[in-house]
Amino acid sequence: MHPALSVIFFTVTAGTGYGVLFLLGLIRILGMVPEMSPDQIVTMGLVGLVLITVGLLSSTLHLSNPKNAWRSFTRFKTSWLSREAVFAVTFYPICLLWMACEWFTGHTAASIVFGVLTAGLAITVLVCTSMIYASLKTIRQWHTPMTPVNFVLLGILLGSLFLSLMLAQQSLLTSHLLSLSLVLLVLSALAKIVYFYWIGQPAGPTINTALGFTRATVRLLDVGHSSDTFHNKEFAYQVDRVKLIWLRHISIGLAFLLPLALIRGPLDSVGFFNLTLAFISAYAGVFVERWLFFAEARHVVNLYHGMQRT
């Protein structure tokens, strides 16, 4: 599939924002950072909302006719895209009500309720975004439970690093959140390695199974249009195999290994500079990972354009 930079930026940046607000709600509910004041919670919450908003706005750049974006809200029962849109819009008033409760009343029962709803909706939107791709049976590399697992883990991972960065800037970072970031780095790396291994296995439909001929090798004499058509541009995106392997290694190194090396150790040895480098590295690594997510996807329509296997 053709990697659209606006969609990649949306999923990575908005995912970071949802991760920030999920963890901010979680640590507030559990009292992991009791020293946080209401204005600090609101400030960090607004930063998370800005990341989400910038990401959502960038996603509209991929639309050929942005004024029809409202139609994405009309198929909630059957479309994961519609569910994502509805829950993403619902998220805003719930999150703002939570921050308003924190600002005006402090840590009360109302703020706890809205904090729980905010954290739950953040994960819900991440799942809906991932299921837009995981629900597509025509693309084997996406139609797997590993897709939502990776989307959710990577969103929370980036959120934990960015939230740690903001807390460190205010001298509020605790060992609990830093330990959580380390655990997320390990889990996310393992999940991504398993995914890379799985999509590399010879499985899925072939031109033989697509045509129903299973006793001989099928070779298409006419592979269809090779000019600049929509199918060729969107579904037949090809990248050199060696380049893909190198980019996989780069994404693993930037997203997981370098941040792990930067923040590993006692809390007093992890400063603001280290956390800044760790977040920048992880963001860049996940950006490459998301580019690979699209570039390595093979739609079954390619079988009718000369590809032997998807």
Side-chain angles (χ1 to χ4, degrees):
M1 298 290 289
H2 184 270
L5 292 181
S6 60
V7 176
I8 295 171
F9 180 81
F10 152 61
T11 57
V12 179
T13 304
T16 303
Y18 286 120
V20 166
L21 285 161
F22 166 73
L23 291 173
L24 186 61
L26 191 65
I27 65 175
R28 182 57 168 167
I29 295 164
L30 298 178
M32 294 171 63
V33 188
E35 300 85 4
M36 279 195 304
S37 63
D39 60 327
Q40 289 171 325
I41 294 172
V42 171
T43 299
M44 290 185 284
L46 289 175
V47 171
L49 279 179
V50 168
L51 291 172
I52 293 169
T53 304
V54 171
L56 288 172
L57 290 175
S58 72
S59 69
T60 62
L61 299 176
H62 186 58
L63 301 176
S64 58
N65 198 352
K67 73 174 184 290
N68 290 330
W70 65 271
R71 297 181 185 274
S72 64
F73 294 88
T74 62
R75 297 289 186 271
F76 184 84
K77 289 184 178 181
T78 57
S79 169
W80 283 104
L81 176 62
S82 181
R83 292 164 188 158
E84 178 203 38
V86 171
F87 284 124
V89 170
T90 305
F91 179 83
Y92 277 89
I94 296 298
C95 183
L96 290 173
L97 281 171
W98 173 46
M99 286 186 281
C101 288
E102 289 285 353
W103 181 266
F104 291 109
T105 65
H107 192 51
T108 61
S111 68
I112 292 174
V113 170
F114 285 115
V116 170
L117 290 174
T118 297
L121 279 173
I123 293 299
T124 301
V125 177
L126 285 175
V127 171
C128 289
T129 302
S130 65
M131 287 304 298
I132 295 172
Y133 307 105
S135 64
L136 299 178
K137 296 180 180 180
T138 51
I139 302 177
R140 182 182 73 89
Q141 292 80 7
W142 293 353
H143 189 59
T144 166
M146 292 304 300
T147 296
V149 169
N150 279 308
F151 266 69
V152 172
L153 279 177
L154 291 174
I156 299 176
L157 168 63
L158 290 177
S160 71
L161 291 174
F162 195 76
L163 183 59
S164 297
L165 182 61
M166 290 191 289
L167 289 172
Q169 194 271 334
Q170 301 172 75
S171 301
L172 292 173
L173 181 62
T174 66
S175 58
H176 300 293
L177 187 57
L178 195 63
S179 298
L180 177 61
S181 297
L182 291 171
V183 171
L184 287 168
L185 281 167
V186 174
L187 290 178
S188 300
L190 290 175
K192 199 68 227 183
I193 291 170
V194 169
Y195 173 80
F196 282 146
Y197 176 79
W198 179 82
I199 66 172
Q201 300 306 301
T206 65
I207 185 59
N208 287 64
T209 58
L211 296 176
F213 300 123
T214 58
R215 294 184 178 275
T217 300
V218 174
R219 182 174 63 87
L220 293 180
L221 299 179
D222 183 359
V223 296
H225 294 291
S226 58
S227 58
D228 195 24
T229 66
F230 176 81
H231 278 176
N232 294 125
K233 288 191 296 183
E234 293 297 321
F235 299 144
Y237 188 80
Q238 298 292 328
V239 185
D240 181 72
R241 183 65 181 171
V242 175
K243 180 179 178 181
L244 290 176
I245 296 299
W246 273 106
L247 286 174
R248 284 186 183 185
H249 286 89
I250 290 171
S251 70
I252 294 293
L254 288 176
F256 311 117
L257 298 182
L258 183 55
L260 192 62
L262 286 167
I263 66 173
R264 181 179 57 84
L267 179 63
D268 55 4
S269 68
V270 181
F272 181 79
F273 181 71
N274 279 32
L275 284 166
T276 302
L277 289 181
F279 173 74
I280 293 173
S281 176
Y283 185 94
V286 174
F287 201 94
V288 174
E289 177 275 338
R290 204 54 48 85
W291 187 91
L292 285 168
F293 177 75
F294 288 96
E296 294 190 283
R298 298 289 178 262
H299 197 286
V300 292
V301 74
N302 287 299
L303 295 174
Y304 302 102
H305 289 277
M307 185 178 287
Q308 292 294 309
R309 178 184 294 277
T310 61

